[in-house]
Amino acid sequence: DADVTQTPRNRITKTGKRIMLECSQTKGHDRMYWYRQDPGLGLRLIYYSFDVKDINKGEISDGYSVSRQAQAKFSLSLESAIPNQTALYFCATSDRTGSYEQYFGPGTRLTVT
Amino acid sequence: AQKITQTQPGMFVQEKEAVTLDCTYDTSDQSYGLFWYKQPSSGEMIFLIYQGSYDEQNATEGRYSLNFQKARKSANLVISASQLGDSAMYFCAMREGKNRGSTLGRLYFGRGTQLTVWP
C-alpha cells in the first residue's frame, strides 16, 4: 500500500461548490504539506502543518483552508471553488530529521467548471 | 525573487547520452538542502537525489549525480546514459536552513525542465 494516499484522484466540480481533498499517510511523519501545480509554474505551497496543533499558511493560501484531524490526516478545502483553482494538488509528508525529504501522494487532479 | 531558477523549459537528449539540467538557487542560509524530483507523464513526484549544503562530495544515485557548486549557487542534475524512460518533467527544490523556525522543512520548487529522450 502507498505511504501517502490522496482522495479523490480526480474531481470535476462547479464554480461555487465546496470541495474537500483528503490526504492520509502511514509514514508516521509529523509534517504534512499541500501544494498545487500549474503548468509552467512548478509546485507552490498552500498550507503546511508541523503537528496537529500547528498549521501555517503557505504562499498561496487565499481561497483554501485546511484541517489536521490527526497526525496521519491532513485535509484541504476549497470553500467556494473557482475556475482558476483548476490544478493538480499534491499532499506531501516529511520527517523532522535528516534531509527532511518530502514524500508525495499521487496527486488529485481538480477541474472547476 | 525566485529561490529556485530552472532556465531550461525543455531539453532534448539522445538515448545513451548524458544530459545536464540546470538549477540555481538563492538563499542566505548556511544550512540548506537541495533536491531533484522527477515527474513522469503519469503525474507522480519521484524523489531522485539530495545534496546537503555541508556535504563535501557531490551526491550520486545510480545514473543521477548532482553537480553542486556552492559558490555559484548551482545544483545541476546530471543524468548519464539517458534512457527513454527518463523522459519526464524534472524539478529542482530547496529546503532552507535550521534557523528558520517554523518554515523549516518546506520546499521551494523551480518551474521545471521537460526532458525528452529520443532513440
Side-chain angles (χ1 to χ4, degrees):
Chain A
D1 288 343
D3 294 321
V4 184
T5 58
Q6 292 182 234
T7 55
R9 294 292 311 278
N10 291 282
R11 181 73 181 266
I12 301 173
T13 192
K14 293 186 183 297
T15 297
K17 294 291 189 181
R18 184 178 189 273
I19 183 169
M20 179 181 288
L21 309 183
E22 299 186 336
C23 177
S24 294
Q25 53 114 347
T26 57
K27 298 193 74 67
H29 290 163
D30 292 335
R31 298 165 178 228
M32 299 187 74
Y33 310 80
W34 276 104
Y35 294 90
R36 68 175 275 176
Q37 182 183 7
D38 300 277
L41 294 181
L43 278 72
R44 293 180 292 166
L45 185 65
I46 306 172
Y47 271 95
Y48 58 105
S49 170
F50 285 176
D51 66 40
V52 174
K53 296 181 181 179
D54 180 17
I55 293 178
N56 305 277
K57 292 183 178 181
E59 56 195 298
I60 54 165
S61 60
D62 287 349
Y64 301 94
S65 62
V66 291
S67 172
R68 184 84 183 263
Q69 301 96 322
Q71 186 198 37
K73 295 184 182 298
F74 192 36
S75 300
L76 176 72
S77 293
L78 287 66
E79 299 302 325
S80 179
I82 56 176
N84 77 359
Q85 291 177 314
T86 293
L88 181 58
Y89 290 83
F90 285 103
C91 174
T93 75
S94 72
D95 203 349
R96 63 173 69 185
T97 60
S99 71
Y100 299 85
E101 175 192 340
Q102 292 197 6
Y103 297 83
F104 285 81
T108 294
R109 193 167 295 279
L110 176 66
T111 302
V112 184
T113 63
Chain B
Q2 285 193 359
K3 288 186 179 287
I4 294 288
T5 302
Q6 295 181 253
T7 57
Q8 307 153 316
M11 288 285 286
F12 294 84
V13 64
Q14 190 171 24
E15 197 176 10
K16 300 180 184 177
E17 297 295 311
V19 63
T20 297
L21 306 185
D22 294 342
C23 173
T24 57
Y25 59 92
D26 181 26
T27 183
S28 57
D29 286 354
Q30 297 301 308
S31 175
Y32 52 89
L34 297 155
F35 300 79
W36 278 92
Y37 285 85
K38 172 184 177 181
Q39 186 180 43
S41 58
S42 52
E44 71 269 29
M45 295 289 287
I46 301 168
F47 166 75
L48 293 178
I49 196 166
Y50 167 78
Q51 178 86 40
S53 59
Y54 291 121
D55 294 341
E56 294 185 352
Q57 293 194 336
N58 288 340
T60 61
E61 291 287 348
R63 295 186 297 111
Y64 304 107
S65 60
L66 198 153
N67 183 1
F68 181 46
Q69 298 188 41
K70 198 169 184 176
R72 301 177 65 179
K73 293 189 174 179
S74 75
N76 298 339
L77 177 70
V78 180
I79 305 175
S80 63
S82 297
Q83 302 172 356
L84 296 178
D86 293 334
S87 293
M89 181 71 81
Y90 289 80
F91 291 100
C92 180
M94 177 178 68
R95 168 192 53 77
E96 288 189 306
K98 299 186 189 302
N99 60 346
R100 288 273 181 153
S102 65
T103 63
L104 179 61
R106 66 152 294 175
L107 294 181
Y108 297 90
F109 283 84
R111 298 188 174 197
T113 296
Q114 180 69 47
L115 176 67
T116 302
V117 181
W118 50 284

